[in-house]
Amino acid sequence: MKSIVVTSGKGGVGKTTVTACLGKALAALGFRVVLLDADFGLNNLDVVLGLENRVVYDIADVIDNRCRVRQALVEAVRNGLYLLPSAHGYLGEKVTAQNLKLILKSLAVTFDYALVDCPAGIETGFKRAVTACERAIVVTTPHISAIRDASKVVTLLGSYRITPTVVVNRVRGDLLADGRIPTADEISAILKAEVDGVIPETDEVYGANVSQKKPFELLARRIVYGVGETLDPAAKYRGIRGFFKRKMRGNA
């Protein structure tokens, strides 16, 4: 099983949504995927997946030996995607990297991928999750403050001998076409890390239609196979028609 921590330099960049949607995309490719919510302060992966009313046991119950790992899993997508929920009000200090490693080891016999959603920033929760995982995805937005914080995370991951991949989230295609936000290549150069996913900004819930699923399908393929294209959110804003689309959006 490949264990991947999903992290970010700052909160609010869509890390949890990326975790959920990437999990669904990996499951759609036929892989068995488990999502582990290791954010004990702002845990809402169950809410993003629409599973909050189905949670019976959580990771705290597993760590405190009130249930087995399998009993705490909640099925999100039939025969493909499961969630190990975080614990509301649970003290994160009681959770160690060794706890997470043991949990991931027990899940390895059943699943192909484990995505661990950890707290934003570089404090204890980040270090705990990174220590337990083999790979890392750093989520950022194309804004200078988010990129700057992501750079700190990428640098710190190097000390764990992890070369992360980057997902640029909430990219406005019109601003990208106008050159008002950095491109994926420019962000990659700044962070000195490969960008494997570019996710366009949307007002709707990701995964609600085919066009929204596509960027995560592309990301999943790059995560699994190491090759493939990334989405270009600016494509429809180029050319004459694109020029008028940019003007209309700018006046909206």
Side-chain angles (χ1 to χ4, degrees):
M1 183 183 76
K2 296 178 176 62
S3 56
I4 306 174
V5 60
V6 184
T7 184
S8 64
K10 64 181 299 181
V13 297
K15 170 179 57 63
T16 298
T17 299
V18 168
T19 302
C21 292
L22 175 57
K24 290 180 180 179
L26 288 169
L29 289 177
F31 295 100
R32 296 167 299 175
V33 185
V34 60
L35 308 181
L36 195 157
D37 193 344
D39 188 344
F40 295 96
L42 299 172
N43 47 333
N44 61 358
L45 189 51
D46 57 336
V47 176
V48 172
L49 290 166
L51 302 175
E52 65 274 20
N53 294 324
R54 293 175 52 195
V55 174
V56 177
Y57 296 110
D58 55 40
I59 193 171
D61 295 308
V62 174
I63 293 172
D64 291 337
N65 295 315
R66 288 190 290 269
C67 73
R68 297 179 180 180
V69 177
R70 292 290 302 178
Q71 290 177 290
L73 295 180
V74 183
E75 189 175 30
V77 175
R78 186 173 297 279
N79 298 323
L81 180 66
Y82 290 79
L83 168 70
L84 178 55
S86 185
H88 295 279
Y90 193 69
L91 294 178
E93 293 80 2
K94 294 180 65 176
V95 186
T96 65
Q98 186 62 25
N99 291 148
L100 293 183
K101 283 183 179 180
L102 290 173
I103 289 172
L104 290 170
K105 183 178 180 180
S106 70
L107 293 169
V109 297
T110 304
F111 295 97
D112 302 304
Y113 283 90
L115 303 182
V116 179
D117 185 17
C118 82
I122 55 176
E123 302 304 324
T124 303
F126 163 83
K127 297 173 183 176
R128 177 175 55 221
V130 170
T131 302
C133 294
E134 306 163 334
R135 300 171 61 183
I137 294 173
V138 178
V139 181
T140 184
T141 59
H143 304 99
I144 186 62
S145 61
I147 294 172
R148 181 179 297 168
D149 288 343
S151 179
K152 297 175 184 176
V153 173
V154 170
T155 300
L156 186 56
L157 286 168
S159 67
Y160 290 87
R161 297 184 179 180
I162 294 177
T163 301
T165 186
V166 175
V167 172
V168 187
N169 194 29
R170 296 177 180 165
V171 178
R172 276 186 56 177
D174 57 329
L175 299 184
L176 186 59
D178 278 338
R180 294 164 61 187
I181 56 175
T183 65
D185 287 341
E186 290 170 336
I187 293 173
S188 177
I190 293 170
L191 298 180
K192 297 180 176 61
E194 188 77 16
V195 172
D196 275 337
V198 178
I199 314 299
E201 183 180 67
T202 177
D203 293 330
E204 301 176 36
V205 176
Y206 277 124
N209 57 51
V210 174
S211 65
Q212 290 171 8
K213 291 179 181 178
K214 184 173 178 61
F216 289 101
E217 291 174 357
L218 296 175
L219 171 60
R221 291 184 180 279
R222 285 182 66 93
I223 294 296
V224 174
Y225 306 114
V227 294
E229 62 178 327
T230 59
L231 190 77
D232 179 10
K236 67 179 181 180
Y237 292 103
R238 295 194 177 99
I240 298 299
R241 290 185 178 179
F243 172 79
F244 287 107
K245 285 183 179 179
R246 297 202 306 272
K247 289 297 182 182
M248 290 176 63
R249 179 156 188 178
N251 294 328

